[in-house]
């Protein structure tokens, strides 16, 4: 036989088929042009399986040696780009196995003993995703560190905090950054939790029912580092479930979608803050683009795209979860459709996290060792905006409460004071003491301490509050956590 026996797909299964697939059906059913990115996981899984087959006496030591040697060559071929991927061979698994058999003969044909592509693909996707999730967790750490650096530099910078996008109360810009650190720290926590369920071994489930060979599944799990924190092997306990459920991929995509939603909220704020009407921040030019018609423009393309790509990842979550809903046990080819959304989710999230770390915190300049190019904060513009919306009205109400007024009455009194300030076009702190005293005779000179932005900020010295003292404590804690 001059050609490998797998070269024609109609021959890959058996002599049972009386006609070859049409080209359209081949194209429709094959996955090799996207699932080839699983190649490293596929080879690692095969090597662990072969090692176990030999240890169990199911294949000979020389078969194992031949498989290892063949896989080493295939690794080189794929890594150097000379490996010839064939559509006719449908997917990554059959392509690699066919090449192995071409290289090492019968030993290659023995590799698939006690295994099916059903447990093979489920193993590959889990192994691949585990590696990507570890990268994502690292990127989440980088992003948190960037935000933390910006927070640290701007603890004392005051901006208006909004509710309903209306000026509400003054807050520290550092505090605002820390809100996102909290969100991304939960995203990292979620990734670590989901990882425990991703990191379980389907191999040994075979096609659906298990296998009659005496496989040592725990050995394979250990070889592939599918172990828990105590080092115990993590093996899927039901063969039907092992080959068919993709809940681990759905869970991951849900965590990724949430993370993108956090990025999207941050994007929205960056976009608002850098509009001329706010002028709170600038982002470095390399994250913006100009307009082809309006020469004055610098558009925040990166945050806008991140906001847009969030929709795409949320869509992948919908796609994956819908993919599962109608499937009877056990494996169905529907599951081949899990890959593109999963791959794109990983790519989109990784790129977005990387670019945000840099856009916010800047990049190390290798000459100076200093970080450069992060966001520039216009503290003056922020403070000016905070002075505009009567942001310390709550503080005046709290002041009156401390003088003995019930809070609801204090609220009403301050509403009158704000009305007066608006009609005079001044801030509350600019109303003369005598005018303030008309609203409540108990108001004294010390009222001006609470009416200042800084007084208002310092007053919120409670765990989780915006007082600079609290913000510094939080920064120190996050710094330790991320060290
Ligand atoms: N390419 C397939 C997938 O992604 C591999 C498993 C195929 N199994 C089968 N019985 N056809 O799911």
């Amino acid at each position: 036989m001059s050609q490998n026996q797998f070269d024609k797909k109609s021959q890959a299964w058996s002599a049972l088929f009386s006609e070859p697939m049409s080209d359209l059906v081949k194209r429709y059913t094959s996955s090799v042009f996207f699932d080839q990115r699983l190649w490293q996981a596929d080879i690692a899984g095969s090597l662990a399986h072969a090692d176990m087959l030999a240890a169990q006496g199911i294949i000979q030591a020389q078969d194992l040696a031949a498989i290892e040697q063949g896989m080493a060559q295939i690794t080189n071929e794929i890594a150097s780009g000379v490996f010839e991927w064939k559509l006719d061979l449908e997917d990554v698994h059959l392509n690699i196995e066919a090449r192995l058999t071409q290289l090492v003969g019968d030993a290659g044909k023995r590799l698939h003993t006690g295994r099916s592509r059903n447990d093979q693909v489920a193993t590959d996707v889990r192994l691949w995703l585990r590696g990507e999730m570890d990268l994502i967790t690292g990127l989440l750490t980088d992003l948190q560190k960037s935000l933390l650096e910006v927070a640290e530099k701007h603890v004392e910078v005051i901006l208006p905090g909004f509710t309903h996008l209306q000026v509400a109360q003054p807050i520290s810009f550092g505090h605002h950054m820390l809100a996102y650190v909290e969100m991304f720290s939960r995203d990292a926590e979620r990734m670590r939790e989901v990882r425990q369920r991703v990191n379980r071994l389907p191999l040994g489930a075979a096609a659906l029912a298990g296998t009659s060979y005496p496989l040592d599944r725990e050995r394979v799990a250990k070889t592939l580092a599918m172990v828990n924190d105590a080092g115990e092997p993590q093996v899927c306990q039901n063969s039907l479930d092992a080959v068919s459920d993709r809940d681990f991929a759905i869970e991951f995509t849900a965590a990724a979608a949430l993370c993108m939603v956090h990025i999207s909220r941050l994007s929205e704020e960056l976009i608002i803050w850098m509009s001329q009407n706010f002028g709170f921040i600038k982002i470095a030019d390399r994250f913006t683009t100009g307009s082809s018609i309006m020469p004055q423009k610098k558009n925040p393309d990166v945050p806008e795209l991140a906001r847009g790509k969030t929709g795409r990842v949320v869509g992948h979550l919908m796609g994956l979860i819908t993919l599962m809903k109608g499937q009877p046990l056990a494996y169905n080819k529907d599951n081949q459709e899990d890959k593109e959304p999963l791959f794109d989710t990983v790519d989109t999230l990784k790129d977005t996290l990387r670019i945000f770390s840099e856009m916010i915190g800047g990049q190390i300049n290798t000459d100076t060792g200093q970080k450069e190019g992060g966001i520039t904060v216009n503290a003056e513009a922020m403070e000016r905006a905070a002075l505009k919306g009567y942001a310390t009205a709550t503080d005046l109400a709290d002041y009156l409460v401390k003088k003995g007024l019930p809070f609801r009455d204090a609220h009403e009194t301050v509403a009158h004071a704000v009305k007066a300030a608006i009609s005079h076009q001044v801030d509350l702190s600019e109303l003369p003491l005598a005018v303030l005293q008309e609203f409540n005779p108990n108001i004294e000179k010390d009222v001006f301490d609470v009416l200042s932005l800084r007084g208002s900020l310092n007053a919120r010295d409670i765990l989780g509050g915006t007082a600079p003292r609290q913000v510094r404590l939080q920064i120190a804690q996050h710094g330790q956590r991320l060290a």
Side-chain angles (χ1 to χ4, degrees):
M1 201 160 41
S2 62
Q3 289 237 310
N4 185 288
Q5 66 152 348
F6 284 104
D7 265 14
K8 284 276 164 284
K9 192 171 143 192
S10 58
Q11 292 163 15
W13 342 120
S14 71
L16 190 66
F17 293 80
S18 57
E19 58 171 5
M21 262 182 192
S22 76
D23 285 346
L24 176 59
V25 174
K26 264 188 216 165
R27 202 154 43 72
Y28 196 74
T29 57
S30 77
S31 53
V32 66
F33 291 114
F34 51 85
D35 70 13
Q36 56 181 261
R37 70 191 277 176
L38 296 173
W39 70 272
Q40 275 168 311
D42 193 66
I43 290 176
S46 288
L47 288 174
H49 181 67
D51 157 81
M52 178 276 297
L53 290 177
Q56 296 294 96
I58 300 167
I59 63 171
Q60 303 294 309
Q62 61 263 35
D63 288 327
L64 173 61
I67 290 168
E68 287 174 342
Q69 178 225 321
M71 287 301 197
Q73 175 164 343
I74 292 171
T75 299
N76 286 335
E77 289 176 0
I78 300 176
S80 64
V82 300
F83 189 90
E84 207 188 316
W85 297 102
K86 292 179 184 147
L87 184 79
D88 271 354
L89 289 170
E90 192 179 314
D91 58 24
V92 60
H93 324 292
L94 292 178
N95 268 269
I96 291 179
E97 194 186 332
R99 177 69 180 140
L100 182 70
T101 299
Q102 203 177 47
L103 289 171
V104 305
D106 282 355
K109 296 188 203 161
R110 294 201 173 97
L111 170 62
H112 212 51
T113 313
R115 186 177 76 167
S116 152
R117 276 188 299 154
N118 297 351
D119 56 346
Q120 186 177 359
V121 69
T123 304
D124 290 4
V125 175
R126 284 170 182 267
L127 282 176
W128 173 83
L129 184 56
R130 180 184 73 182
E132 295 295 328
M133 288 177 77
D134 291 343
L135 295 176
I136 288 166
T137 309
L139 293 170
L140 278 166
T141 301
D142 295 345
L143 178 55
Q144 289 176 75
K145 284 183 175 166
S146 285
L147 288 162
L148 216 52
E149 283 162 20
V150 175
E152 207 160 11
K153 275 193 233 155
H154 301 101
V155 175
E156 299 284 351
V157 171
I158 298 177
L159 79 161
F162 297 100
T163 60
H164 316 272
L165 205 57
Q166 310 288 311
V167 171
Q169 289 173 357
I171 53 170
S172 143
F173 188 64
H175 192 57
H176 201 112
M177 291 291 98
L178 289 188
Y180 286 101
V181 174
E182 290 283 332
M183 294 179 226
F184 294 123
S185 80
R186 286 196 301 279
D187 289 326
E189 195 178 317
R190 253 187 291 277
M191 288 292 163
R192 281 190 289 271
E193 287 163 4
V194 173
R195 188 191 193 277
Q196 296 170 19
R197 286 180 290 278
V198 170
N199 198 28
R200 292 179 189 169
L201 181 77
L203 271 182
L208 75 163
T211 173
S212 56
Y213 297 96
L215 305 188
D216 182 351
R217 299 185 65 203
E218 298 197 333
R219 179 188 173 103
V220 178
K222 281 188 194 152
T223 308
L224 294 172
M226 287 179 143
V227 294
N228 63 14
D229 289 341
E232 294 156 349
Q234 300 296 293
V235 173
C236 299
Q237 299 288 308
N238 179 290
S239 59
L240 299 166
D241 175 48
V243 292
S244 62
D245 207 345
R246 296 291 182 265
D247 60 353
F248 67 91
I250 296 170
E251 249 193 291
F252 161 76
T253 308
L258 255 179
C259 182
M260 286 297 295
V261 165
H262 291 152
I263 294 256
S264 188
R265 296 183 68 191
L266 175 55
S267 298
E268 173 70 4
E269 299 213 290
L270 295 175
I271 294 163
I272 291 174
W273 289 343
M274 66 181 280
S275 90
Q276 286 82 353
N277 302 320
F278 276 71
F280 284 7
I281 62 158
K282 281 203 177 99
I283 61 178
D285 279 357
R286 66 178 185 286
F287 299 102
T288 63
T289 60
S291 154
S292 51
I293 177 168
M294 297 164 283
Q296 85 282 14
K297 294 205 60 180
K298 264 185 204 169
N299 296 328
D301 287 36
V302 167
E304 287 173 299
L305 271 172
R307 196 174 53 185
K309 284 173 193 285
T310 301
R312 172 167 161 168
V313 172
V314 171
H316 292 327
L317 171 61
M318 292 307 118
L320 280 175
I321 200 163
T322 309
L323 179 66
M324 273 326 298
K325 76 174 274 294
Q327 288 194 48
L329 295 181
Y331 176 84
N332 302 283
K333 189 78 168 201
D334 311 42
N335 281 337
Q336 181 165 291
E337 288 290 312
D338 65 356
K339 298 188 184 52
E340 288 157 295
L342 189 60
F343 293 167
D344 189 67
T345 297
V346 164
D347 292 341
T348 305
L349 181 58
K350 274 166 52 184
D351 285 349
T352 306
L353 289 172
R354 271 196 199 112
I355 208 163
F356 266 64
S357 290
E358 253 187 51
M359 185 172 66
I360 288 167
Q363 246 181 321
I364 306 259
N365 176 329
T366 40
D367 294 335
T368 61
Q370 298 291 333
K371 265 200 171 180
E372 295 174 354
I375 58 170
T376 317
V377 170
N378 186 342
E380 215 182 295
M382 288 187 181
E383 203 150 316
R384 227 181 300 124
L387 284 169
K388 259 187 210 159
Y390 303 97
T392 57
T394 318
D395 296 272
L396 180 55
D398 290 344
Y399 174 89
L400 292 173
V401 168
K402 282 169 196 157
K403 297 275 178 189
L405 227 64
F407 182 77
R408 285 294 167 215
D409 293 342
H411 185 279
E412 185 59 22
T413 303
V414 175
H416 289 296
V418 169
K419 205 170 163 192
I422 291 173
S423 71
H424 290 93
Q425 292 183 319
V426 295
D427 184 53
L428 279 177
S429 62
E430 292 167 316
L431 289 175
L433 183 59
V435 174
L436 285 168
Q437 282 168 338
E438 283 169 26
F439 297 106
N440 187 296
N442 292 328
I443 295 179
E444 289 164 76
K445 231 172 73 193
D446 61 353
V447 74
F448 294 107
D449 298 338
V450 309
L451 288 182
S452 77
L453 295 179
R454 211 152 290 280
S456 167
L457 216 63
N458 287 332
R460 284 165 177 75
D461 191 3
I462 181 164
L463 174 64
T466 195
R469 199 182 76 86
Q470 292 291 340
V471 176
R472 288 205 175 84
L473 285 173
Q474 291 285 333
I475 289 173
Q477 275 175 26
H478 285 299
Q480 271 176 15
R481 177 175 60 81
L482 295 168

